[in-house]
Amino acid sequence: MGFLQNKRALIAGVASERSIAWGIAGAMRREGAQLAFTYQNEKLRPRVEKYAATVDSDIVLPCDVASDDEIAAMFEALAGRWDGLDILVHSIAFAPREELEGAYLEAATRAGFNAAHEVSAYSFTALAKGAAAMMEGRAGAMLTLTYLGALRAMPGYNVMGLAKASLEASVRYLAQSLGPRGIRVNAVSAGPIRTLAASGIGGFRKMMGFFEQAVPMGRGVTIEEVGNVAAFLCSDLASGVTGEICYVDGGFNMVGMSERFLEQ
Ligand code: NAD
Ligand code: 0WE
C-alpha cells in the first residue's frame, strides 16, 4: 500500500511533462493518491487533460491564480467532485520576461515587481484560503516550490528572488496560521531543472555548468527526485514537519567552495 493511499491532492502548475508539478503528480499517484489538476489558460487545457488521464484523473479545472474569481470558481467546482481535500501543491511562478534580464536595479519596475509578487508569492496564500476550507477535520498538507535565489543573489533571477523570499516567509506564516487546524505547510527548494520556466531564461546552460561544478552530487536533480520529497512532505510520514524549506538540490545550497574547481 502506498503512503498516500486515500489522500486527495490538488496540483496547480502542470504545463508540460517536464514540469516539476508533473514529477510530483507521478510520485503522489504511485503512492496511491487521487489527483486533481488546474491549468492556467485554455491553451494548456487539452495538454493537462491528456496528462491527467494517464494518472487516472478526470478532474481538470481552469485557474489563473491572478484572479480571485477563477480561484473561487475552481474550488466550487472541486467541492462538487470531492467532499474534502488532503493535499495542495502550488508549483507556479511568473515574472515579466524583461524583469529577468540584466542587473536587478536596471530591470526592476513597479509593475513587474507587483506582477511577480502577485503570481509567484500571494497566489499560494490565495489558494491556501480555498484549500483550508476543504481540509477541515483532515490532516491536510500544503506544499510550494521555491529556489535558492530567495536567499542568495543570483544573476538575472532579480525580482523573482524577492518574490521567492516572500513565498518562503508565507510558508512560515501559513504554517503558524494553519497549525491549530492540523494543516501543515512546507516548501521544496529545488536545484535548477530544465523546464519551460527555466528554458525561458537566457544563459541557463552556463548557470547549469556552474551548478554542476560546485554541487556535491556532481549532477542536477530530476523532477522525479523533487516529486518523491514532495510526496513524503505531504504524507502522514511527515506529520511532525511544518514551516520548513526542504532542499532537493544535490547539496548545492550548503557548499562554500567548489572542490572540482580546485582540482582543475
Ligand atoms: P513550468 O513552466 O513547468 O511551471 C510553471 C507553471 O506556472 C506553469 O504550469 C504555468 O502555467 C504556471 N503559471 C504561471 N503563471 C500562472 C498563473 N497566472 N496562473 C496559474 N498558473 C500559472 O516550470 P517549473 O520549473 O516546473 O516551475 C514550477 C515551480 O518550480 C515554480 O514555482 C518555479 O519557481 C519552481 N522552481 C523551478 C526550478 C527550475 O529550475 N525549473 C527550480 C526551483 C524552483
Ligand atoms: O523560478 C524559476 C523561473 C521562473 C520564471 C521563469 C520565466 C521564464 C519566462 C518566472 N517567470 C518567467 N517569465 C517568463 O517570461 N526558476 C527557479 C528557474 C530559474 O530562473 C532563473 C534561474 C533559474 C534556476 C533565472 C536566472 C537565474 C537562474
Side-chain angles (χ1 to χ4, degrees), residues 12-16 18-22 38-41 44 63-66 90-94 119-120 144-148 157 160 164 167 188-198 204 223:
V14 175
S16 81
R18 290 184 170 193
S19 290
I20 291 174
W22 185 242
T38 70
Y39 58 90
Q40 181 186 356
N41 53 46
L44 289 172
C63 185
D64 183 329
V65 296
H90 170 276
S91 185
I92 288 172
F94 175 78
V119 175
S120 313
T144 188
L145 273 296
T146 185
Y147 178 58
L148 186 60
Y157 201 59
M160 271 306 306
K164 290 299 194 191
L167 179 69
V188 166
S189 185
I193 302 177
R194 187 170 285 287
T195 61
L196 282 180
F204 187 79
I223 62 168

mmCIF file of all heavy atoms in Angstrom, residues 12-16 18-22 38-41 44 63-66 90-94 119-120 144-148 157 160 164 167 188-198 204 223, ligand 1:
data_model
loop_
_atom_site.group_PDB
_atom_site.id
_atom_site.type_symbol
_atom_site.label_atom_id
_atom_site.label_comp_id
_atom_site.label_asym_id
_atom_site.label_seq_id
_atom_site.Cartn_x
_atom_site.Cartn_y
_atom_site.Cartn_z
ATOM 1 N N ALA A 12 -1.512 22.329 -8.815
ATOM 2 C CA ALA A 12 -1.535 23.506 -9.688
ATOM 3 C C ALA A 12 -0.132 23.745 -10.230
ATOM 4 O O ALA A 12 0.833 23.811 -9.452
ATOM 5 C CB ALA A 12 -2.015 24.730 -8.908
ATOM 6 N N GLY A 13 0.009 23.833 -11.559
ATOM 7 C CA GLY A 13 1.307 24.177 -12.139
ATOM 8 C C GLY A 13 1.854 23.204 -13.157
ATOM 9 O O GLY A 13 3.018 23.288 -13.537
ATOM 10 N N VAL A 14 0.998 22.273 -13.650
ATOM 11 C CA VAL A 14 1.459 21.408 -14.746
ATOM 12 C C VAL A 14 1.306 22.174 -16.061
ATOM 13 O O VAL A 14 0.220 22.660 -16.382
ATOM 14 C CB VAL A 14 0.653 20.091 -14.820
ATOM 15 C CG1 VAL A 14 1.075 19.284 -16.047
ATOM 16 C CG2 VAL A 14 0.847 19.261 -13.555
ATOM 17 N N ALA A 15 2.414 22.296 -16.809
ATOM 18 C CA ALA A 15 2.357 22.893 -18.144
ATOM 19 C C ALA A 15 2.925 21.947 -19.190
ATOM 20 O O ALA A 15 2.608 22.050 -20.369
ATOM 21 C CB ALA A 15 3.125 24.218 -18.164
ATOM 22 N N SER A 16 3.794 21.018 -18.755
ATOM 23 C CA SER A 16 4.389 20.054 -19.686
ATOM 24 C C SER A 16 4.814 18.824 -18.897
ATOM 25 O O SER A 16 4.726 18.809 -17.663
ATOM 26 C CB SER A 16 5.606 20.664 -20.391
ATOM 27 O OG SER A 16 6.741 20.594 -19.544
ATOM 28 N N ARG A 18 7.720 18.045 -18.447
ATOM 29 C CA ARG A 18 8.948 18.411 -17.729
ATOM 30 C C ARG A 18 8.651 19.216 -16.481
ATOM 31 O O ARG A 18 9.558 19.505 -15.692
ATOM 32 C CB ARG A 18 9.842 19.262 -18.634
ATOM 33 C CG ARG A 18 10.433 18.482 -19.767
ATOM 34 C CD ARG A 18 11.369 19.392 -20.536
ATOM 35 N NE ARG A 18 12.154 18.645 -21.490
ATOM 36 C CZ ARG A 18 13.216 19.127 -22.109
ATOM 37 N NH1 ARG A 18 13.619 20.368 -21.865
ATOM 38 N NH2 ARG A 18 13.882 18.411 -22.951
ATOM 39 N N SER A 19 7.397 19.641 -16.307
ATOM 40 C CA SER A 19 7.044 20.466 -15.145
ATOM 41 C C SER A 19 7.356 19.745 -13.842
ATOM 42 O O SER A 19 7.108 18.536 -13.713
ATOM 43 C CB SER A 19 5.543 20.792 -15.156
ATOM 44 O OG SER A 19 5.222 21.683 -16.199
ATOM 45 N N ILE A 20 7.852 20.491 -12.864
ATOM 46 C CA ILE A 20 8.086 19.915 -11.537
ATOM 47 C C ILE A 20 6.764 19.368 -10.986
ATOM 48 O O ILE A 20 6.741 18.288 -10.376
ATOM 49 C CB ILE A 20 8.717 20.970 -10.606
ATOM 50 C CG1 ILE A 20 10.147 21.285 -11.076
ATOM 51 C CG2 ILE A 20 8.717 20.472 -9.158
ATOM 52 C CD1 ILE A 20 10.840 22.411 -10.335
ATOM 53 N N ALA A 21 5.667 20.085 -11.248
ATOM 54 C CA ALA A 21 4.349 19.628 -10.780
ATOM 55 C C ALA A 21 4.010 18.247 -11.341
ATOM 56 O O ALA A 21 3.335 17.447 -10.681
ATOM 57 C CB ALA A 21 3.267 20.634 -11.175
ATOM 58 N N TRP A 22 4.493 17.951 -12.543
ATOM 59 C CA TRP A 22 4.220 16.645 -13.150
ATOM 60 C C TRP A 22 5.044 15.551 -12.453
ATOM 61 O O TRP A 22 4.567 14.425 -12.246
ATOM 62 C CB TRP A 22 4.478 16.677 -14.664
ATOM 63 C CG TRP A 22 4.092 15.394 -15.326
ATOM 64 C CD1 TRP A 22 4.914 14.535 -15.998
ATOM 65 C CD2 TRP A 22 2.785 14.798 -15.348
ATOM 66 N NE1 TRP A 22 4.204 13.444 -16.434
ATOM 67 C CE2 TRP A 22 2.896 13.583 -16.050
ATOM 68 C CE3 TRP A 22 1.540 15.184 -14.842
ATOM 69 C CZ2 TRP A 22 1.808 12.733 -16.251
ATOM 70 C CZ3 TRP A 22 0.454 14.336 -15.042
ATOM 71 C CH2 TRP A 22 0.591 13.131 -15.745
ATOM 72 N N THR A 38 -5.150 21.776 -11.946
ATOM 73 C CA THR A 38 -5.621 23.045 -12.507
ATOM 74 C C THR A 38 -4.688 23.439 -13.653
ATOM 75 O O THR A 38 -3.533 23.011 -13.700
ATOM 76 C CB THR A 38 -5.648 24.183 -11.470
ATOM 77 O OG1 THR A 38 -4.298 24.550 -11.135
ATOM 78 C CG2 THR A 38 -6.394 23.776 -10.205
ATOM 79 N N TYR A 39 -5.214 24.232 -14.576
ATOM 80 C CA TYR A 39 -4.395 24.759 -15.671
ATOM 81 C C TYR A 39 -4.615 26.263 -15.770
ATOM 82 O O TYR A 39 -5.668 26.783 -15.405
ATOM 83 C CB TYR A 39 -4.709 24.052 -17.000
ATOM 84 C CG TYR A 39 -6.163 24.152 -17.416
ATOM 85 C CD1 TYR A 39 -6.598 25.214 -18.219
ATOM 86 C CD2 TYR A 39 -7.096 23.203 -17.011
ATOM 87 C CE1 TYR A 39 -7.925 25.319 -18.603
ATOM 88 C CE2 TYR A 39 -8.422 23.297 -17.384
ATOM 89 C CZ TYR A 39 -8.832 24.362 -18.181
ATOM 90 O OH TYR A 39 -10.150 24.473 -18.555
ATOM 91 N N GLN A 40 -3.575 26.955 -16.292
ATOM 92 C CA GLN A 40 -3.561 28.421 -16.280
ATOM 93 C C GLN A 40 -4.505 29.040 -17.301
ATOM 94 O O GLN A 40 -5.154 30.038 -17.015
ATOM 95 C CB GLN A 40 -2.128 28.907 -16.546
ATOM 96 C CG GLN A 40 -1.971 30.412 -16.525
ATOM 97 C CD GLN A 40 -0.571 30.857 -16.936
ATOM 98 O OE1 GLN A 40 0.318 30.039 -17.165
ATOM 99 N NE2 GLN A 40 -0.377 32.151 -17.023
ATOM 100 N N ASN A 41 -4.534 28.456 -18.512
ATOM 101 C CA ASN A 41 -5.354 29.058 -19.574
ATOM 102 C C ASN A 41 -5.783 27.991 -20.570
ATOM 103 O O ASN A 41 -5.284 26.865 -20.535
ATOM 104 C CB ASN A 41 -4.574 30.194 -20.277
ATOM 105 C CG ASN A 41 -3.211 29.717 -20.759
ATOM 106 O OD1 ASN A 41 -3.089 28.650 -21.351
ATOM 107 N ND2 ASN A 41 -2.171 30.503 -20.500
ATOM 108 N N LEU A 44 -3.499 25.571 -22.441
ATOM 109 C CA LEU A 44 -2.912 24.425 -21.735
ATOM 110 C C LEU A 44 -3.925 23.310 -21.464
ATOM 111 O O LEU A 44 -3.553 22.188 -21.154
ATOM 112 C CB LEU A 44 -2.281 24.887 -20.418
ATOM 113 C CG LEU A 44 -0.997 25.716 -20.544
ATOM 114 C CD1 LEU A 44 -0.579 26.282 -19.192
ATOM 115 C CD2 LEU A 44 0.133 24.876 -21.123
ATOM 116 N N CYS A 63 -7.735 27.653 -13.717
ATOM 117 C CA CYS A 63 -7.439 28.546 -12.596
ATOM 118 C C CYS A 63 -6.227 29.412 -12.896
ATOM 119 O O CYS A 63 -5.080 28.986 -12.727
ATOM 120 C CB CYS A 63 -7.210 27.748 -11.310
ATOM 121 S SG CYS A 63 -6.987 28.820 -9.877
ATOM 122 N N ASP A 64 -6.469 30.633 -13.351
ATOM 123 C CA ASP A 64 -5.425 31.653 -13.413
ATOM 124 C C ASP A 64 -5.351 32.251 -12.019
ATOM 125 O O ASP A 64 -6.315 32.869 -11.552
ATOM 126 C CB ASP A 64 -5.775 32.717 -14.457
ATOM 127 C CG ASP A 64 -4.667 33.767 -14.593
ATOM 128 O OD1 ASP A 64 -3.982 34.046 -13.585
ATOM 129 O OD2 ASP A 64 -4.495 34.306 -15.693
ATOM 130 N N VAL A 65 -4.225 32.063 -11.328
ATOM 131 C CA VAL A 65 -4.135 32.461 -9.919
ATOM 132 C C VAL A 65 -4.097 33.985 -9.719
ATOM 133 O O VAL A 65 -4.121 34.450 -8.593
ATOM 134 C CB VAL A 65 -2.934 31.807 -9.195
ATOM 135 C CG1 VAL A 65 -3.100 30.297 -9.135
ATOM 136 C CG2 VAL A 65 -1.613 32.204 -9.854
ATOM 137 N N ALA A 66 -4.041 34.738 -10.823
ATOM 138 C CA ALA A 66 -4.114 36.196 -10.695
ATOM 139 C C ALA A 66 -5.556 36.662 -10.465
ATOM 140 O O ALA A 66 -5.791 37.835 -10.184
ATOM 141 C CB ALA A 66 -3.530 36.863 -11.931
ATOM 142 N N HIS A 90 1.319 23.790 -4.913
ATOM 143 C CA HIS A 90 1.424 25.068 -5.644
ATOM 144 C C HIS A 90 2.790 25.062 -6.320
ATOM 145 O O HIS A 90 3.825 25.093 -5.642
ATOM 146 C CB HIS A 90 1.292 26.218 -4.632
ATOM 147 C CG HIS A 90 1.602 27.581 -5.166
ATOM 148 N ND1 HIS A 90 2.887 28.087 -5.257
ATOM 149 C CD2 HIS A 90 0.783 28.571 -5.605
ATOM 150 C CE1 HIS A 90 2.834 29.324 -5.733
ATOM 151 N NE2 HIS A 90 1.581 29.639 -5.960
ATOM 152 N N SER A 91 2.801 25.011 -7.664
ATOM 153 C CA SER A 91 4.065 24.939 -8.410
ATOM 154 C C SER A 91 4.017 25.957 -9.547
ATOM 155 O O SER A 91 4.039 25.604 -10.726
ATOM 156 C CB SER A 91 4.261 23.506 -8.926
ATOM 157 O OG SER A 91 5.519 23.368 -9.545
ATOM 158 N N ILE A 92 3.913 27.223 -9.146
ATOM 159 C CA ILE A 92 3.607 28.319 -10.064
ATOM 160 C C ILE A 92 4.555 29.477 -9.805
ATOM 161 O O ILE A 92 4.793 29.839 -8.649
ATOM 162 C CB ILE A 92 2.147 28.778 -9.830
ATOM 163 C CG1 ILE A 92 1.173 27.723 -10.371
ATOM 164 C CG2 ILE A 92 1.885 30.151 -10.447
ATOM 165 C CD1 ILE A 92 -0.283 27.993 -10.015
ATOM 166 N N ALA A 93 5.100 30.038 -10.883
ATOM 167 C CA ALA A 93 5.893 31.270 -10.760
ATOM 168 C C ALA A 93 5.798 32.027 -12.068
ATOM 169 O O ALA A 93 5.699 31.430 -13.138
ATOM 170 C CB ALA A 93 7.352 30.954 -10.449
ATOM 171 N N PHE A 94 5.824 33.329 -11.969
ATOM 172 C CA PHE A 94 5.890 34.163 -13.172
ATOM 173 C C PHE A 94 6.398 35.559 -12.831
ATOM 174 O O PHE A 94 5.980 36.157 -11.844
ATOM 175 C CB PHE A 94 4.522 34.313 -13.850
ATOM 176 C CG PHE A 94 4.549 35.273 -15.011
ATOM 177 C CD1 PHE A 94 5.073 34.883 -16.244
ATOM 178 C CD2 PHE A 94 4.109 36.578 -14.860
ATOM 179 C CE1 PHE A 94 5.137 35.780 -17.310
ATOM 180 C CE2 PHE A 94 4.171 37.485 -15.930
ATOM 181 C CZ PHE A 94 4.688 37.080 -17.151
ATOM 182 N N VAL A 119 1.672 36.769 -8.660
ATOM 183 C CA VAL A 119 1.529 35.412 -9.215
ATOM 184 C C VAL A 119 2.428 34.395 -8.498
ATOM 185 O O VAL A 119 2.038 33.242 -8.316
ATOM 186 C CB VAL A 119 1.830 35.413 -10.738
ATOM 187 C CG1 VAL A 119 1.811 33.993 -11.296
ATOM 188 C CG2 VAL A 119 0.838 36.295 -11.474
ATOM 189 N N SER A 120 3.629 34.815 -8.079
ATOM 190 C CA SER A 120 4.596 33.849 -7.550
ATOM 191 C C SER A 120 4.540 33.707 -6.027
ATOM 192 O O SER A 120 4.975 32.694 -5.498
ATOM 193 C CB SER A 120 6.021 34.264 -7.947
ATOM 194 O OG SER A 120 6.075 34.586 -9.320
ATOM 195 N N THR A 144 4.687 24.240 -1.562
ATOM 196 C CA THR A 144 5.023 25.107 -2.682
ATOM 197 C C THR A 144 6.465 24.840 -3.106
ATOM 198 O O THR A 144 7.213 24.154 -2.410
ATOM 199 C CB THR A 144 4.796 26.594 -2.326
ATOM 200 O OG1 THR A 144 4.975 27.381 -3.521
ATOM 201 C CG2 THR A 144 5.753 27.085 -1.258
ATOM 202 N N LEU A 145 6.832 25.385 -4.263
ATOM 203 C CA LEU A 145 8.175 25.201 -4.827
ATOM 204 C C LEU A 145 8.924 26.515 -4.785
ATOM 205 O O LEU A 145 8.388 27.548 -5.214
ATOM 206 C CB LEU A 145 8.065 24.736 -6.286
ATOM 207 C CG LEU A 145 7.933 23.235 -6.535
ATOM 208 C CD1 LEU A 145 9.199 22.520 -6.052
ATOM 209 C CD2 LEU A 145 6.723 22.635 -5.858
ATOM 210 N N THR A 146 10.162 26.472 -4.253
ATOM 211 C CA THR A 146 10.951 27.688 -4.196
ATOM 212 C C THR A 146 12.345 27.428 -4.755
ATOM 213 O O THR A 146 12.649 26.312 -5.219
ATOM 214 C CB THR A 146 10.974 28.260 -2.757
ATOM 215 O OG1 THR A 146 11.659 29.506 -2.763
ATOM 216 C CG2 THR A 146 11.636 27.306 -1.780
ATOM 217 N N TYR A 147 13.169 28.478 -4.739
ATOM 218 C CA TYR A 147 14.513 28.403 -5.322
ATOM 219 C C TYR A 147 15.471 29.206 -4.452
ATOM 220 O O TYR A 147 15.078 30.209 -3.833
ATOM 221 C CB TYR A 147 14.476 28.933 -6.769
ATOM 222 C CG TYR A 147 15.817 28.948 -7.450
ATOM 223 C CD1 TYR A 147 16.561 27.773 -7.597
ATOM 224 C CD2 TYR A 147 16.357 30.136 -7.944
ATOM 225 C CE1 TYR A 147 17.794 27.800 -8.211
ATOM 226 C CE2 TYR A 147 17.587 30.167 -8.570
ATOM 227 C CZ TYR A 147 18.313 28.989 -8.690
ATOM 228 O OH TYR A 147 19.542 29.012 -9.292
ATOM 229 N N LEU A 148 16.734 28.765 -4.430
ATOM 230 C CA LEU A 148 17.781 29.377 -3.608
ATOM 231 C C LEU A 148 17.943 30.884 -3.834
ATOM 232 O O LEU A 148 18.433 31.602 -2.966
ATOM 233 C CB LEU A 148 19.105 28.644 -3.890
ATOM 234 C CG LEU A 148 20.332 28.998 -3.065
ATOM 235 C CD1 LEU A 148 20.095 28.731 -1.573
ATOM 236 C CD2 LEU A 148 21.545 28.206 -3.559
ATOM 237 N N TYR A 157 18.017 36.436 -11.757
ATOM 238 C CA TYR A 157 16.792 35.949 -11.084
ATOM 239 C C TYR A 157 15.987 37.146 -10.560
ATOM 240 O O TYR A 157 14.757 37.117 -10.500
ATOM 241 C CB TYR A 157 17.133 34.952 -9.969
ATOM 242 C CG TYR A 157 15.971 34.051 -9.600
ATOM 243 C CD1 TYR A 157 15.387 33.217 -10.553
ATOM 244 C CD2 TYR A 157 15.456 34.032 -8.304
ATOM 245 C CE1 TYR A 157 14.325 32.393 -10.225
ATOM 246 C CE2 TYR A 157 14.398 33.203 -7.970
ATOM 247 C CZ TYR A 157 13.833 32.388 -8.938
ATOM 248 O OH TYR A 157 12.772 31.572 -8.603
ATOM 249 N N MET A 160 12.287 37.841 -9.132
ATOM 250 C CA MET A 160 11.807 36.509 -8.724
ATOM 251 C C MET A 160 12.412 36.109 -7.378
ATOM 252 O O MET A 160 11.771 35.413 -6.581
ATOM 253 C CB MET A 160 12.156 35.444 -9.776
ATOM 254 C CG MET A 160 11.125 35.231 -10.868
ATOM 255 S SD MET A 160 9.460 34.888 -10.257
ATOM 256 C CE MET A 160 9.753 33.518 -9.161
ATOM 257 N N LYS A 164 10.321 34.966 -4.214
ATOM 258 C CA LYS A 164 10.542 33.680 -3.524
ATOM 259 C C LYS A 164 10.824 33.900 -2.038
ATOM 260 O O LYS A 164 10.438 33.065 -1.209
ATOM 261 C CB LYS A 164 11.688 32.898 -4.181
ATOM 262 C CG LYS A 164 11.363 32.350 -5.572
ATOM 263 C CD LYS A 164 10.196 31.379 -5.591
ATOM 264 C CE LYS A 164 10.119 30.603 -6.900
ATOM 265 N NZ LYS A 164 8.851 29.851 -7.032
ATOM 266 N N LEU A 167 7.518 34.270 -0.664
ATOM 267 C CA LEU A 167 6.845 32.957 -0.673
ATOM 268 C C LEU A 167 7.334 32.102 0.505
ATOM 269 O O LEU A 167 6.533 31.438 1.175
ATOM 270 C CB LEU A 167 7.127 32.246 -2.009
ATOM 271 C CG LEU A 167 6.523 30.848 -2.168
ATOM 272 C CD1 LEU A 167 4.994 30.918 -2.281
ATOM 273 C CD2 LEU A 167 7.111 30.150 -3.410
ATOM 274 N N VAL A 188 9.525 22.869 -1.016
ATOM 275 C CA VAL A 188 10.730 22.236 -1.536
ATOM 276 C C VAL A 188 11.491 23.296 -2.317
ATOM 277 O O VAL A 188 10.924 23.971 -3.179
ATOM 278 C CB VAL A 188 10.397 21.036 -2.450
ATOM 279 C CG1 VAL A 188 11.637 20.616 -3.244
ATOM 280 C CG2 VAL A 188 9.883 19.861 -1.634
ATOM 281 N N SER A 189 12.780 23.463 -1.981
ATOM 282 C CA SER A 189 13.650 24.347 -2.748
ATOM 283 C C SER A 189 14.461 23.469 -3.688
ATOM 284 O O SER A 189 15.362 22.738 -3.261
ATOM 285 C CB SER A 189 14.555 25.155 -1.812
ATOM 286 O OG SER A 189 15.306 26.087 -2.581
ATOM 287 N N ALA A 190 14.109 23.523 -4.969
ATOM 288 C CA ALA A 190 14.709 22.626 -5.966
ATOM 289 C C ALA A 190 15.944 23.256 -6.588
ATOM 290 O O ALA A 190 16.020 24.472 -6.771
ATOM 291 C CB ALA A 190 13.690 22.298 -7.051
ATOM 292 N N GLY A 191 16.908 22.404 -6.954
ATOM 293 C CA GLY A 191 18.026 22.852 -7.782
ATOM 294 C C GLY A 191 17.526 23.147 -9.185
ATOM 295 O O GLY A 191 16.376 22.850 -9.514
ATOM 296 N N PRO A 192 18.376 23.764 -10.036
ATOM 297 C CA PRO A 192 17.925 24.117 -11.388
ATOM 298 C C PRO A 192 17.563 22.885 -12.223
ATOM 299 O O PRO A 192 18.304 21.905 -12.229
ATOM 300 C CB PRO A 192 19.127 24.853 -11.997
ATOM 301 C CG PRO A 192 20.300 24.466 -11.161
ATOM 302 C CD PRO A 192 19.775 24.138 -9.803
ATOM 303 N N ILE A 193 16.416 22.940 -12.889
ATOM 304 C CA ILE A 193 15.922 21.851 -13.738
ATOM 305 C C ILE A 193 15.427 22.480 -15.035
ATOM 306 O O ILE A 193 14.738 23.511 -15.001
ATOM 307 C CB ILE A 193 14.749 21.099 -13.064
ATOM 308 C CG1 ILE A 193 15.160 20.538 -11.698
ATOM 309 C CG2 ILE A 193 14.238 19.972 -13.962
ATOM 310 C CD1 ILE A 193 14.027 19.840 -10.942
ATOM 311 N N ARG A 194 15.766 21.843 -16.169
ATOM 312 C CA ARG A 194 15.341 22.414 -17.460
ATOM 313 C C ARG A 194 13.854 22.153 -17.705
ATOM 314 O O ARG A 194 13.473 21.151 -18.263
ATOM 315 C CB ARG A 194 16.195 21.853 -18.604
ATOM 316 C CG ARG A 194 15.916 22.529 -19.939
ATOM 317 C CD ARG A 194 16.913 22.139 -20.991
ATOM 318 N NE ARG A 194 18.205 22.788 -20.810
ATOM 319 C CZ ARG A 194 18.449 24.078 -21.064
ATOM 320 N NH1 ARG A 194 17.502 24.853 -21.520
ATOM 321 N NH2 ARG A 194 19.647 24.585 -20.863
ATOM 322 N N THR A 195 13.016 23.082 -17.263
ATOM 323 C CA THR A 195 11.567 23.032 -17.512
ATOM 324 C C THR A 195 11.234 24.191 -18.455
ATOM 325 O O THR A 195 12.125 24.952 -18.834
ATOM 326 C CB THR A 195 10.799 23.235 -16.196
ATOM 327 O OG1 THR A 195 11.148 24.517 -15.679
ATOM 328 C CG2 THR A 195 11.145 22.158 -15.174
ATOM 329 N N LEU A 196 9.950 24.363 -18.789
ATOM 330 C CA LEU A 196 9.560 25.508 -19.632
ATOM 331 C C LEU A 196 9.993 26.812 -18.978
ATOM 332 O O LEU A 196 10.543 27.705 -19.624
ATOM 333 C CB LEU A 196 8.045 25.517 -19.839
ATOM 334 C CG LEU A 196 7.485 24.522 -20.863
ATOM 335 C CD1 LEU A 196 5.961 24.669 -20.934
ATOM 336 C CD2 LEU A 196 8.110 24.715 -22.234
ATOM 337 N N ALA A 197 9.745 26.942 -17.658
ATOM 338 C CA ALA A 197 10.088 28.178 -16.955
ATOM 339 C C ALA A 197 11.586 28.456 -16.998
ATOM 340 O O ALA A 197 12.016 29.598 -17.059
ATOM 341 C CB ALA A 197 9.613 28.120 -15.501
ATOM 342 N N ALA A 198 12.402 27.392 -16.992
ATOM 343 C CA ALA A 198 13.855 27.572 -16.979
ATOM 344 C C ALA A 198 14.399 27.823 -18.379
ATOM 345 O O ALA A 198 15.356 28.590 -18.547
ATOM 346 C CB ALA A 198 14.521 26.346 -16.362
ATOM 347 N N PHE A 204 20.857 29.883 -19.224
ATOM 348 C CA PHE A 204 20.543 28.804 -18.281
ATOM 349 C C PHE A 204 21.581 27.679 -18.362
ATOM 350 O O PHE A 204 21.973 27.118 -17.351
ATOM 351 C CB PHE A 204 19.130 28.262 -18.536
ATOM 352 C CG PHE A 204 18.680 27.272 -17.495
ATOM 353 C CD1 PHE A 204 18.212 27.699 -16.266
ATOM 354 C CD2 PHE A 204 18.741 25.904 -17.740
ATOM 355 C CE1 PHE A 204 17.813 26.785 -15.298
ATOM 356 C CE2 PHE A 204 18.344 24.984 -16.773
ATOM 357 C CZ PHE A 204 17.878 25.434 -15.547
ATOM 358 N N ILE A 223 12.895 15.921 -11.833
ATOM 359 C CA ILE A 223 11.535 16.165 -11.320
ATOM 360 C C ILE A 223 11.039 14.973 -10.514
ATOM 361 O O ILE A 223 10.210 15.131 -9.627
ATOM 362 C CB ILE A 223 10.529 16.542 -12.447
ATOM 363 C CG1 ILE A 223 10.372 15.423 -13.465
ATOM 364 C CG2 ILE A 223 10.930 17.851 -13.114
ATOM 365 C CD1 ILE A 223 9.173 15.644 -14.416
HETATM 366 P P1 NAD B 1 6.818 25.150 -15.555
HETATM 367 O O1 NAD B 1 6.891 26.204 -16.602
HETATM 368 O O2 NAD B 1 6.649 23.757 -15.980
HETATM 369 O O3 NAD B 1 5.693 25.505 -14.461
HETATM 370 C C1 NAD B 1 5.340 26.822 -14.144
HETATM 371 C C2 NAD B 1 3.834 26.831 -14.042
HETATM 372 O O4 NAD B 1 3.345 28.106 -13.590
HETATM 373 C C3 NAD B 1 3.141 26.560 -15.389
HETATM 374 O O5 NAD B 1 2.315 25.435 -15.265
HETATM 375 C C4 NAD B 1 2.326 27.810 -15.631
HETATM 376 O O6 NAD B 1 1.102 27.548 -16.294
HETATM 377 C C5 NAD B 1 2.093 28.265 -14.195
HETATM 378 N N1 NAD B 1 1.632 29.652 -14.076
HETATM 379 C C6 NAD B 1 2.309 30.795 -14.358
HETATM 380 N N2 NAD B 1 1.509 31.861 -14.175
HETATM 381 C C7 NAD B 1 0.295 31.402 -13.763
HETATM 382 C C8 NAD B 1 -0.949 31.993 -13.444
HETATM 383 N N3 NAD B 1 -1.135 33.318 -13.510
HETATM 384 N N4 NAD B 1 -1.975 31.186 -13.050
HETATM 385 C C9 NAD B 1 -1.813 29.837 -12.993
HETATM 386 N N5 NAD B 1 -0.659 29.214 -13.303
HETATM 387 C C10 NAD B 1 0.384 29.979 -13.695
HETATM 388 O O7 NAD B 1 8.193 25.317 -14.710
HETATM 389 P P2 NAD B 1 8.685 24.640 -13.347
HETATM 390 O O8 NAD B 1 10.160 24.804 -13.368
HETATM 391 O O9 NAD B 1 8.095 23.305 -13.179
HETATM 392 O O10 NAD B 1 8.143 25.651 -12.233
HETATM 393 C C11 NAD B 1 7.324 25.244 -11.158
HETATM 394 C C12 NAD B 1 7.782 25.886 -9.855
HETATM 395 O O11 NAD B 1 9.073 25.386 -9.513
HETATM 396 C C13 NAD B 1 7.915 27.406 -9.904
HETATM 397 O O12 NAD B 1 7.466 27.948 -8.679
HETATM 398 C C14 NAD B 1 9.415 27.604 -10.017
HETATM 399 O O13 NAD B 1 9.816 28.854 -9.497
HETATM 400 C C15 NAD B 1 9.884 26.471 -9.152
HETATM 401 N N6 NAD B 1 11.303 26.106 -9.316
HETATM 402 C C16 NAD B 1 11.798 25.793 -10.548
HETATM 403 C C17 NAD B 1 13.138 25.460 -10.678
HETATM 404 C C18 NAD B 1 13.738 25.147 -12.028
HETATM 405 O O14 NAD B 1 14.953 25.257 -12.184
HETATM 406 N N7 NAD B 1 12.939 24.726 -13.010
HETATM 407 C C19 NAD B 1 13.970 25.427 -9.548
HETATM 408 C C20 NAD B 1 13.420 25.730 -8.294
HETATM 409 C C21 NAD B 1 12.079 26.069 -8.191
#
